[in-house]
Amino acid sequence: MFDLTTIGEGQIRLTVPRGERLVNAVSLRMSAACSEANVAGLLSQLGRSTSWCSKMPRGELATRVLQEFRSVGVDMSNMVRVDDGRVALYFMEPGDYPMPSKVIYDRLHTPFRDIEIDDVNWESMLDTRLVFVTGITAALSPNTAKIVRHFCEQAHERGIDIALDVNYRSLLWDADQARSVLEPIARMSTLVFASRKDAQTVFGMPDLSGVEVCKKTREFLGVSTVVSTDSTHGVYLSDEHGEEQFNVDVVPVIDRPGAGDSFVAGTIHGFLQGDVRAGVGYGQRVSTFALTHHGDLTHISAMELDLPKTTDIIR
């Protein structure tokens, strides 16, 4: 049995050097990307058994993506491979104030967008303690929305815990579409991750303090636990024991993508050991590490969760 199984589209991220724009860049940094695989990959490094399902063409770009996550222990037995098609890409321009970072997607017409329910080995994917899904995958196409809904319905029927990361992307769908697809999934979930902004945008939560938005989101969805982030303003937890706010450490940012996935993975690590509050602490720790390294996937060991906070060389 796996600790976590998940479904999402493997991609290549191409990042513009800081201080340049895509239109005049002469070099790009290439790395593998997938929100769900990032979570599975970090949990694998923390000793959890994880499996990732995607649908990708055979070829060198797909191999590059799969090698990234296989190298940290993610099970690939549920990967669907096809002869034809392309690998999804996204380009990123890192921004510094006052210019925000910018993402440009190039992920139309990929095999994953046409994934069918019969493509997936559900017996294997449902042999797990926890199913993890995101709003990103649900947003890609009607087929991917159907796959995510089916995955969660089957898990719910079997009494398997479900974790949903709302992870709203306005470039992929609008708020009404997101709510129509994600609200039924959220109501089946045990653990929901929704930033303060996403809870307001997707679920219509009022403009209150972060901890109140987190509480009202849990009450609205009728779920056991909601974890909410609010940039550097705080992290909020609402469950049957009440509400709690966690302060956020501000650290230098080398590379931002993947930090949210690291936070989710750390929180799930605690959830799987029966202590979601400790998990929030793990999540905050690994997400700060993620910000200081290039790449979507955070490379970390369980031992490093207990490292002292320092900039000294560890000898």
Side-chain angles (χ1 to χ4, degrees), residues 18 92-103 253 256-257:
R18 187 172 293 276
M92 181 173 176
E93 292 181 347
D96 287 307
Y97 183 82
M99 178 68 76
S101 297
K102 181 180 179 182
V103 166
V253 177
R256 191 175 298 280

Side-chain angles (χ1 to χ4, degrees), residues 74-208:
V74 178
D75 172 79
M76 295 289 167
S77 64
N78 290 301
M79 189 61 54
V80 181
R81 304 300 297 277
V82 294
D83 291 330
D84 298 318
R86 57 173 301 239
V87 174
L89 307 175
Y90 84 90
F91 299 83
M92 181 173 176
E93 292 181 347
D96 287 307
Y97 183 82
M99 178 68 76
S101 297
K102 181 180 179 182
V103 166
I104 299 166
Y105 291 114
D106 180 17
R107 53 192 304 185
L108 294 175
H109 312 301
T110 61
F112 186 75
R113 285 183 174 246
D114 296 324
I115 192 169
E116 300 285 349
I117 287 174
D118 291 342
D119 290 336
V120 180
N121 182 349
W122 294 112
E123 286 307 309
S124 176
M125 290 294 289
L126 292 164
D127 185 20
T128 184
R129 295 175 59 194
L130 180 74
V131 159
F132 174 65
V133 296
T134 76
I136 295 175
T137 294
L140 294 178
S141 72
N143 281 48
T144 60
K146 187 187 303 182
I147 285 286
V148 171
R149 178 70 177 262
H150 179 81
F151 193 16
C152 293
E153 287 175 341
Q154 293 299 307
H156 187 62
E157 287 181 10
R158 300 184 188 207
I160 300 167
D161 285 330
I162 300 166
L164 166 68
D165 185 2
V166 173
N167 220 339
Y168 175 65
R169 294 288 186 267
S170 61
L171 294 179
L172 297 177
W173 56 358
D174 64 37
D176 290 339
Q177 291 174 312
R179 181 169 182 170
S180 68
V181 172
L182 296 182
E183 186 176 322
I185 294 170
R187 293 184 181 277
M188 290 186 277
S189 300
T190 311
L191 174 62
V192 173
F193 295 89
S195 70
R196 179 185 181 186
K197 182 178 179 181
D198 285 355
Q200 292 172 324
T201 301
V202 177
F203 299 126
M205 293 298 103
D207 187 15
L208 300 171

Side-chain angles (χ1 to χ4, degrees), residues 2-307:
F2 297 109
D3 291 311
L4 175 143
T5 56
T6 190
I7 294 177
E9 182 169 45
Q11 305 162 73
I12 292 288
R13 169 160 66 111
L14 297 163
T15 307
V16 176
R18 187 172 293 276
E20 296 185 22
R21 303 298 302 273
L22 182 60
V23 293
N24 68 336
V26 296
S27 65
L28 299 169
R29 176 187 288 271
M30 184 174 76
S31 56
C34 172
S35 183
E36 294 85 355
N38 292 338
V39 171
L42 197 150
L43 283 167
S44 289
Q45 294 171 78
L46 297 179
R48 301 293 181 184
S49 174
T50 68
S51 186
W52 168 43
C53 174
S54 192
K55 186 175 183 179
M56 301 195 70
R58 293 181 177 87
E60 293 181 357
L61 283 179
T63 298
R64 169 69 179 83
V65 175
L66 301 187
Q67 284 177 340
E68 176 88 3
F69 298 105
R70 183 186 289 115
S71 70
V72 294
V74 178
D75 172 79
M76 295 289 167
S77 64
N78 290 301
M79 189 61 54
V80 181
R81 304 300 297 277
V82 294
D83 291 330
D84 298 318
R86 57 173 301 239
V87 174
L89 307 175
Y90 84 90
F91 299 83
M92 181 173 176
E93 292 181 347
D96 287 307
Y97 183 82
M99 178 68 76
S101 297
K102 181 180 179 182
V103 166
I104 299 166
Y105 291 114
D106 180 17
R107 53 192 304 185
L108 294 175
H109 312 301
T110 61
F112 186 75
R113 285 183 174 246
D114 296 324
I115 192 169
E116 300 285 349
I117 287 174
D118 291 342
D119 290 336
V120 180
N121 182 349
W122 294 112
E123 286 307 309
S124 176
M125 290 294 289
L126 292 164
D127 185 20
T128 184
R129 295 175 59 194
L130 180 74
V131 159
F132 174 65
V133 296
T134 76
I136 295 175
T137 294
L140 294 178
S141 72
N143 281 48
T144 60
K146 187 187 303 182
I147 285 286
V148 171
R149 178 70 177 262
H150 179 81
F151 193 16
C152 293
E153 287 175 341
Q154 293 299 307
H156 187 62
E157 287 181 10
R158 300 184 188 207
I160 300 167
D161 285 330
I162 300 166
L164 166 68
D165 185 2
V166 173
N167 220 339
Y168 175 65
R169 294 288 186 267
S170 61
L171 294 179
L172 297 177
W173 56 358
D174 64 37
D176 290 339
Q177 291 174 312
R179 181 169 182 170
S180 68
V181 172
L182 296 182
E183 186 176 322
I185 294 170
R187 293 184 181 277
M188 290 186 277
S189 300
T190 311
L191 174 62
V192 173
F193 295 89
S195 70
R196 179 185 181 186
K197 182 178 179 181
D198 285 355
Q200 292 172 324
T201 301
V202 177
F203 299 126
M205 293 298 103
D207 187 15
L208 300 171
S209 68
V211 71
E212 282 297 315
V213 169
C214 187
K215 177 183 178 181
K216 287 190 175 296
T217 302
R218 182 175 70 87
E219 293 172 343
F220 171 72
L221 295 173
V223 299
S224 299
T225 306
V226 170
V227 177
S228 184
T229 55
D230 189 15
S231 185
T232 59
H233 302 298
V235 173
Y236 316 104
L237 169 68
S238 179
D239 64 8
E240 61 184 6
H241 302 294
E243 286 67 50
E244 189 166 348
Q245 178 171 342
F246 303 81
N247 293 327
V248 173
D249 291 333
V250 178
V251 300
V253 177
I254 302 299
D255 193 30
R256 191 175 298 280
D261 300 328
S262 296
F263 173 76
V264 167
T267 304
I268 288 175
H269 183 56
F271 175 83
L272 288 170
Q273 68 185 27
D275 191 346
V276 72
R277 279 170 168 74
V280 170
Y282 299 150
Q284 289 186 287
R285 194 73 190 275
V286 294
S287 64
T288 57
F289 289 167
L291 290 168
T292 65
H293 294 79
H294 288 288
D296 283 46
L297 174 63
T298 302
H299 292 268
I300 193 171
S301 68
M303 180 187 72
E304 288 174 308
L305 286 178
D306 297 321
L307 288 178

